[in-house]
Amino acid sequence: MPISLIRRPKVSGSNLRDYGVLKERVGEIFLKGQKRIEQEFVRIRYETGLLINEHVRLNEDRAAYGSEAILKLEKDLGIDSSELGRFAQFAKAYPISGGRRKLGFNLPWTHYRKLITIQDGKRRLELTRLAEEKEWTFEQLVTRVGREHLKLED
């Protein structure tokens, strides 16, 4: 992005003499920036998974082609094949329906990696919504997903 397009923070004003104001402003800029970066990383993983899934679908007449394509991508691009497989699983777990995604990319990647282990699509979406609303930590999410897996074993 050209530097001229980057929105520069307002830095003038005598209130910046106050450390509390500085701390608040730096925290706001830095933490919001980190969240936007994480959202973009999640979006990149999702869109990569969509591409892989569509490519595999278009080549479904060839047995085991999906794993071959992922291994070839690993070799050609240096992206770990298990991660590429998770990206594909991620895109399948949160399909686009009616032309709209059911996903806001509001959770960190670690959360989605855990959520895609839930087989029941409706329950997965419900837990995703709850994790977003309640801003669950990864540990809280692991506990809830663990309970879901235990219900399945009963």
Side-chain angles (χ1 to χ4, degrees):
M1 175 182 296
I3 292 179
S4 63
L5 296 178
I6 296 174
R7 195 173 36 160
R8 297 183 189 276
K10 185 177 178 183
V11 293
S12 62
S14 61
N15 60 351
L16 275 178
R17 291 183 67 141
D18 182 316
Y19 175 77
V21 171
L22 172 66
K23 177 181 163 187
E24 179 183 327
R25 300 264 311 274
V26 168
E28 179 182 305
I29 291 169
F30 189 79
L31 296 176
K32 282 183 179 179
Q34 281 184 317
K35 183 172 179 148
R36 284 194 312 268
I37 290 167
E38 177 64 26
Q39 284 178 312
E40 194 57 33
F41 279 145
V42 171
R43 182 175 281 103
I44 289 166
R45 290 170 170 111
Y46 184 81
E47 290 178 4
T48 299
L50 287 175
L51 290 171
I52 291 168
N53 291 341
E54 181 62 10
H55 179 77
V56 170
R57 186 189 69 76
L58 292 170
N59 290 281
E60 65 189 355
D61 56 326
R62 298 166 59 192
Y65 181 76
S67 57
E68 290 174 19
I70 286 174
L71 290 172
K72 190 167 169 115
L73 283 171
E74 176 182 49
K75 181 179 176 238
D76 292 343
L77 299 175
I79 304 169
D80 184 72
S81 61
S82 61
E83 279 297 291
L84 290 167
R86 272 192 280 280
F87 301 164
Q89 184 183 5
F90 179 41
K92 280 182 188 171
Y94 295 93
I96 296 173
S97 62
R100 299 185 68 188
R101 285 191 184 102
K102 294 182 177 180
L103 189 62
F105 305 111
N106 295 317
L107 297 172
W109 173 238
T110 53
H111 285 54
Y112 291 115
R113 279 184 62 168
K114 195 57 155 170
L115 286 161
I116 62 178
T117 65
I118 299 172
Q119 297 301 311
D120 182 329
K122 286 183 180 179
R123 190 64 188 140
R124 181 183 333 99
L125 288 174
E126 177 64 18
L127 282 176
T128 301
R129 186 186 61 74
L130 286 170
E132 288 175 347
E133 284 178 9
K134 298 180 185 272
E135 299 181 353
W136 287 342
T137 64
F138 181 70
E139 291 75 20
Q140 290 170 314
L141 180 67
V142 167
T143 300
R144 291 298 294 262
V145 171
R147 287 185 202 150
E148 293 299 313
H149 291 305
L150 286 175
K151 286 180 189 176
L152 292 175
E153 293 175 6
D154 290 340

